[in-house]
Structures are given as structure tokens and as C-alpha cells.
Amino acid sequence: MRVLVIGSGAREHALVLAVAEDPSVTAIACAPGNAGTSAVAEQLGVDAIDPDAVTALAKDWKADLVVVGPEVPLVAGVADGVRKAGIACFGPSAAAARIEGSKAFAKDVMAVANVPTAHCEVVDNPAHLDAALGRFGPTWVVKDDGLAAGKGVVVTTDFDVARKHALMLLDGGHPVLLESFLDGPEASLFCFVDGRTVVPLLPAQDFKRVGDGDAGPNTGGMGAYAPLPWTPPGFVDEVVETVVRPVVDELVARGSSFSGLLYAGLALTSDGTQVIEFNCRFGDPETQVVLALLRSPLGKLLHATATGKLAEHPELDWEDGAAVTVVIAADGYPGKPRTGDVITGGELEGVLHAGTRRRDDGAVVSSGGRVLSVVGVGKNLKAARKQAYATVERVHLAGSHHRTDIALRAAKGEIATPVA
């Protein structure tokens, strides 16, 4: 099987590495890829958000399976174009990808499917903003209704900060979603879906804030770990039955059947598990830890999902133990990152590339905000953390920064779900 992966981040590097371990895969390409994926996959140039360009590339390269990593190409209809050409594609249609592309659409789906989620209100006119903000708080959750790469959300107890962010979004032509604040720890659950069949993966937790102790602004994600030792018994089965399956069935009822990876962002609150958001693809950086623990051949699993044969796939096999990933970010991130700095240690085991490129002289340099994702695996979270941070210390990127507390509270047993 010839597999073409679309994307250029650490998620795609993790996908490429996992697919390469599948004996049924005979060739792998990544477009546009990065300096890390170039070591294990053929690099191909493409405009990843152009359905015609991706489809033409898949046909020219004779791909048997196209795997679309990021959300923007999916919302743009890349999977539709590839499937129309008769090529199997892992990733939902543009219609189904609205579950991430429009938070208002996702809220409507959840309301009809009776899925527990935060109370919300959409504001598309600045004249209505203050009255709407007055109906929320004392902690305000203000979101961009569209795609924002994890950075369009502000959670604050300061009314003025909430109002400023909302006005910025509205001034840019983006509707604003106000939500009630959900207490309790957060979790991410990935599920393979091929229309109606749902196969969950291990739950994970990511860290959105840029600094230790969840300080500073939101980012695309500064680290993650899996599994979650603090979740209650039966957690995954409960989420599948009360959250994922009802949404999958509602999308079918709307003529927007979902095929690919459905990601549920969850809060384990004092009122039970509630949905924060849905994504239409593998999350980054959670993918890096979940795939590090997956033993089942990934190529076959992706192909079964893309071809509607997920129900026939064997039960998933997992490594014992835990995985932790730590993101190394460029100076300036999550604002404007500094780029072009030389990276040393990028070839070490467990180091996944995101914002990197290889110069003509062969040096690997930074080319984005989140530059590397360092993965450690061990018998438990403490051991996985130790391995990940030991590797981080061997990587050098001038001016870079990373969190030092990824999975720390979980490793110490300090996370508990609220009691109603």
C-alpha cells in the first residue's frame, strides 16, 4: 500500500513514523512535510489546502491511501476531491468537518443529539456584546467561531480582557462564541469513525497555556500525556455512548456522515463529563503520545476506516506504560516566532519535527512557532517524563522555551475529578 500523508507538523511526523512500521505499507510520502519527515518519507510539494492540487498529486504519485492531517485542508474539501478521484482518503468531507470548522454548527449538532456541553451564545454584532457578556461570568470563555489553531480562545475572570478579545474577533469579521465555564480536569479522546462504527483510542490530556502552571496565553499545545490514570472506570465507554456515537449518528441523519478521526475535547465536571469542542482530525500534540503506545499496524487501521471496513478490524493492541511529549517552541511563540535558527539534537530518538526545514547546506533550522515535539515512553508517567525531559536537555535551539510541568501533577497523583 502506498500512503500519502498531507501536512507538515509533528502530528504528521508521528503519523509517518507509525505508518512506516506497518509491513503492509510499501511506500510513504509526505506533502509538504518538514525536515523530520524527510528522513522517513518521500517529500512532495503541494498546496495542502487546494483540493485539486492534492488530488492531482495523489493521482500522479499513485497513492492507495491519502491521510489528511490538519483541519484547514479538511474544511476546504480536500478529502472530497481525493475520494471523487476514486482514491481512499482518511479524513472527513467538508460538510462533516464543520464539526470543527464552525463551533456554532457543533453546538447545534450536540443540542439535537442531547450531548452534554457548556451553555453558549453566538454574538455577531458588537452592539449586542456587552449584554451577552453580562449573561456569563464570573469566568468568561470567549471563542472564535471558526478555525483558530487553538489560539482563538480566551478564558479569563477579567471582564475587560474578555470584552477586548471578543471585539478583536468581531472587528476581524469573526462571530464570537460565549460559553459558560466548565470546571474539572480536561481530557481528549480520539475515535476512528467510518460512518457509524466507532473505535476509541487511549484518552490523553494536552496543555494549551504557554507557561508552567497554565500561565499565559493559549497556544496550539505545549505538551501532552497518555493514558490518564485519574479517569473513572468505564470513562472511555461512557464517552463513546453518550458523546461520540450520538454525534456520529446525528451527522449521518444530516447527510454529513463522518469518516476519519473524530476528536472530543472533554471536561470532567462536577455535573459529569461535558464536551468542550470537537475536532475533525488527529490532535497535536496528543497524537504524538497516543501513537507512541499503539501496537496495531496503523496503515491497515487508517485504510479500514477510509474504506468503511472499520467493523472488520481486529481489536486494538496497546503498549503497557505511558507516553509524554514536550513541545519546544521558538522565541516569541505564541506571538510572532523567530525563525531560521539552527537546531541541534533534532535527529535524536523521540524527537518529532514540526516547524523545521533543511537549508541548502544541510543544516536543520526553525521555520515555525512549535518547532519540535519530544516524546518519552516509560512504564509509568514518571518514567516517561524522565525520558522526555532528558532528551529535551540534549536539544538546542537558541531562544527556545518549553514547559517543565507536562504530566507532573498526574504523575504525582494530584488530579481528581470533581464530586457532584
Side-chain angles (χ1 to χ4, degrees), residues 151 210 217-219 329-338 368-370 401:
K151 293 181 282 186
V210 70
N218 273 350
T219 70
D331 183 30
Y333 182 79
K336 184 177 180 180
R338 192 174 81 194
R370 291 190 296 172
H401 59 95

Side-chain angles (χ1 to χ4, degrees), residues 1 65 90 192-194 259 298-314:
M1 179 168 54
L65 173 67
F90 182 89
F192 285 103
V193 178
D194 69 352
S259 174
L298 182 61
K300 289 182 178 178
L301 181 57
L302 295 169
H303 191 265
T305 305
T307 55
K309 297 179 180 178
L310 190 54
E312 303 170 17
H313 193 277

Side-chain angles (χ1 to χ4, degrees), residues 211-254:
D212 285 1
D214 293 329
N218 273 350
T219 70
M222 294 299 294
Y225 66 94
L228 309 183
W230 47 267
T231 53
F235 170 71
V236 170
D237 290 341
E238 176 204 342
V239 172
V240 169
E241 294 307 316
T242 64
V243 172
V244 179
R245 203 177 300 282
V247 165
V248 167
D249 290 345
E250 175 59 20
L251 289 173
V252 170
R254 294 180 182 220

Side-chain angles (χ1 to χ4, degrees), residues 329-331 337-344 355-357 359 363-368 371 396-400:
D331 183 30
R338 192 174 81 194
T339 59
D341 290 309
V342 173
I343 301 163
T344 58
T356 68
R357 65 178 178 86
R359 288 194 319 214
V364 175
V365 299
S366 59
S367 63
V371 181
H396 179 72
L397 171 63
S400 66

Side-chain angles (χ1 to χ4, degrees), residues 18 221 270 343 348 378:
S270 53
I343 301 163
L348 295 170

Side-chain angles (χ1 to χ4, degrees), residues 6 28 45 63 70 83-84 96 100 103 150 211 228-229 242 244 273 283 287 295 326 329 338 347 385 387 416:
I6 303 298
I28 310 171
R83 275 194 282 266
K84 188 176 180 180
E100 178 173 2
K103 294 176 180 65
L228 309 183
T242 64
V244 179
T273 301
T287 299
R295 284 179 173 172
V326 179
R338 192 174 81 194
E347 74 291 343
R385 268 179 49 83
Q387 184 182 94

Side-chain angles (χ1 to χ4, degrees), residues 330-416:
D331 183 30
Y333 182 79
K336 184 177 180 180
R338 192 174 81 194
T339 59
D341 290 309
V342 173
I343 301 163
T344 58
E347 74 291 343
L348 295 170
E349 183 178 356
V351 177
L352 302 175
H353 289 230
T356 68
R357 65 178 178 86
R358 192 175 297 277
R359 288 194 319 214
D360 292 342
D361 64 0
V364 175
V365 299
S366 59
S367 63
R370 291 190 296 172
V371 181
L372 302 169
S373 188
V374 180
V375 181
V377 178
K379 64 181 180 180
N380 52 39
L381 285 175
K382 182 179 179 181
R385 268 179 49 83
K386 182 177 180 180
Q387 184 182 94
Y389 280 106
T391 304
V392 167
E393 292 303 313
R394 298 172 62 194
V395 175
H396 179 72
L397 171 63
S400 66
H401 59 95
H402 63 273
R403 286 184 60 157
T404 65
D405 62 347
I406 303 300
L408 179 59
R409 291 185 61 224
K412 290 182 174 181
E414 295 177 355
I415 298 179

Side-chain angles (χ1 to χ4, degrees), residues 185-189 235 239 243 264-268 273-277:
E186 296 183 7
S188 303
L189 183 66
F235 170 71
V239 172
V243 172
L266 309 158
L268 281 72
T273 301
Q274 298 196 48
V275 176
I276 300 169
E277 64 177 355

